[in-house]
Amino acid sequence: MSMPIRGALVALVRNSDLEGIRSTIRQLDDRFNRNYNYPYILLNDKNFTEEFKKGIYAITKAPVQFGTLPDDHWGLSPYVTEEKVNSALEYNKNRYIYGGSYSYRLMCRYQSGFIHKHPLLQDLDYYWRIEPDVDYLCDISYDPFRYMRDNGLMYGYTISPMEISKTVETLWDTTREWILKNQDLLPDESFIHWIVNEKGVYTRCHFWSNFEIVDLSLYRSEAYESYFQHLDRAGGFFYERWGDAPVHSIAAALLLRKEQIHWFEDIGYHYPGIWHCPNKPEMAARCVCRRPSGYMYRSICNRRFGEVENIPKSQALLLAQMPDQRQN
């Protein structure tokens, strides 16, 4: 008999997200979790209201745990100043979505460096991140957690777009600094070529982390923690708008091989703004999808994922040494 999987479906939500997360949970139960009964772990920077808890208990028979965030996990980074953050918010407020949002930056920093440290996740080996107001479009007839484990996978995703260049203006330069200072933490080969091309240009390709299934040993590793701390000290979560999606994606490409990263093509998914609808007949037959083909079949980053391969550490270091040639 195979060992049980220590996994959970995890969301960071607010009390105002009740109806949105109820919709997500109902779809996940209908499409997948009614057969597996994995727990839901819901986290909030405030105390959950009784109304919220009752609303969740009414929609699912799966176990549910509610948690608040530790005070030292949520808030302004100790490496930035309030004055400079306020100045950055004012400067960026009309440059891109959430440009002036302080709370969005708190969320991105938390998802990048702290969610895997929450006490409710400490006994998990895997987590599946879920979000309010998303749609799961296909029946999932197998256990993605078990699929990850049985195939030696570390990171799973559904959508891979390009990041908005203005939100990550210094992210790659800051990453290059970390690489060159921490060569001993790099693996012998990695999938770094997906995020930086042969000219040293950051491609801005990333996995949308509103859906990710992750072997948490990745985020708990010495290398990942060192990388996050380096980014936090640089201040870009607040002075720019570094998202957890590009941070997780760069880390995955730096620290994993291509064969450890998996596109869940068969999991149809809609996040506001982008649809992924499987177009292979054997997959599409299990889906109710408004669009017969979706974003991922046109995605430059998805195409690049198929084209590039792992490169050795020596080549990764050469890419990191190249001067900044970002294309904005």
Side-chain angles (χ1 to χ4, degrees):
M1 180 180 295
S2 61
M3 294 294 291
I5 306 292
R6 298 195 301 178
L9 300 110
V10 181
L12 176 65
V13 292
R14 300 161 295 187
N15 286 305
S16 59
D17 291 323
L18 175 58
E19 290 310 313
I21 198 65
R22 273 168 51 89
S23 173
T24 298
I25 289 173
R26 183 54 185 263
Q27 291 180 62
L28 279 164
D29 276 1
D30 289 347
R31 294 296 196 180
F32 160 71
N33 204 34
R34 71 180 187 275
N35 296 320
Y36 295 95
N37 211 41
Y38 281 109
Y40 293 96
I41 298 176
L42 304 181
L43 306 177
N44 192 339
D45 66 304
K46 308 291 185 184
N47 290 326
F48 281 106
T49 64
E50 288 304 311
E51 177 188 7
F52 189 100
K53 293 179 181 179
K54 289 178 181 178
I56 299 300
Y57 286 136
I59 204 72
T60 183
K61 295 180 180 178
V64 182
Q65 293 177 286
F66 298 95
T68 53
L69 309 186
D71 290 340
D72 58 342
H73 288 186
W74 183 264
L76 193 67
S77 167
Y79 305 108
V80 300
T81 67
E82 189 171 351
E83 181 180 1
K84 287 185 67 176
V85 170
N86 289 335
S87 177
L89 295 178
E90 179 64 26
Y91 173 69
N92 290 311
K93 66 180 182 181
N94 295 318
R95 297 182 71 215
Y96 43 76
I97 188 170
Y98 303 122
S101 173
Y102 178 65
S103 62
Y104 188 84
R105 286 162 170 79
L106 292 178
M107 180 274 293
C108 289
R109 178 175 180 260
Y110 179 78
Q111 297 276 22
S112 296
F114 297 98
I115 190 167
H116 53 282
K117 300 172 185 174
H118 193 281
L120 291 180
L121 276 67
Q122 291 313 292
D123 292 332
L124 299 182
D125 294 324
Y126 297 88
Y127 99 134
W128 178 338
R129 178 170 160 186
I130 66 174
E131 293 273 330
D133 297 308
V134 300
D135 296 299
Y136 286 84
L137 307 169
C138 308
D139 286 342
I140 304 170
S141 58
Y142 63 99
D143 183 347
F145 289 125
R146 188 171 298 278
Y147 184 86
M148 295 275 292
R149 189 185 71 178
D150 291 351
N151 290 279
L153 299 170
M154 298 291 291
Y155 191 95
Y157 70 98
T158 57
I159 293 175
S160 56
M162 293 178 70
E163 182 58 293
I164 301 168
S165 59
K166 291 179 181 179
T167 68
V168 289
E169 289 172 324
T170 65
L171 178 57
W172 177 242
D173 277 348
T174 307
T175 299
R176 291 172 59 239
E177 293 172 358
W178 179 83
I179 293 171
L180 297 175
K181 290 178 180 178
N182 295 275
Q183 299 180 27
D184 59 315
L185 295 178
L186 299 178
D188 291 337
E189 65 175 12
S190 72
F191 197 47
I192 186 177
H193 209 190
W194 186 62
I195 57 164
V196 60
N197 68 20
E198 64 280 357
K199 296 181 180 179
V201 176
Y202 175 39
T203 65
R204 294 184 280 117
C205 287
H206 66 291
F207 310 118
W208 249 10
S209 56
N210 46 74
F211 174 110
E212 61 177 14
I213 304 177
V214 185
D215 181 329
L216 289 170
S217 65
L218 172 63
Y219 296 158
R220 293 167 179 157
S221 68
E222 179 186 0
Y224 184 84
E225 179 64 16
S226 172
Y227 179 54
F228 169 73
Q229 291 296 335
H230 182 80
L231 297 184
D232 202 29
R233 287 185 176 90
F237 289 110
F238 293 93
Y239 297 151
E240 296 180 20
R241 200 214 67 186
W242 295 351
D244 52 281
V247 169
H248 284 177
S249 303
I250 291 173
L254 283 176
L255 302 177
L256 302 178
R257 301 183 307 279
K258 181 178 182 177
E259 56 268 27
Q260 294 176 292
I261 303 171
H262 180 67
W263 176 30
F264 281 100
E265 181 182 2
D266 58 323
I267 299 182
Y269 183 72
H270 169 235
Y271 184 87
I274 294 183
W275 295 77
H276 166 58
C277 302
N279 66 2
K280 294 178 180 177
E282 67 275 17
M283 296 180 181
R286 300 195 304 271
C287 307
V288 176
C289 207
R290 300 177 188 175
R291 306 183 183 192
S293 62
Y295 171 85
M296 284 295 284
Y297 300 108
R298 307 185 303 274
S299 167
I300 293 172
C301 293
N302 188 41
R303 183 162 61 247
R304 182 172 180 81
F305 189 96
E307 294 171 349
V308 301
E309 299 297 334
N310 300 321
I311 61 173
K313 181 177 178 177
S314 58
Q315 291 186 29
L317 292 173
L318 288 175
L319 290 177
Q321 292 167 2
M322 289 183 176
D324 178 26
Q325 302 180 52
R326 285 173 295 129
Q327 296 175 338
N328 294 321

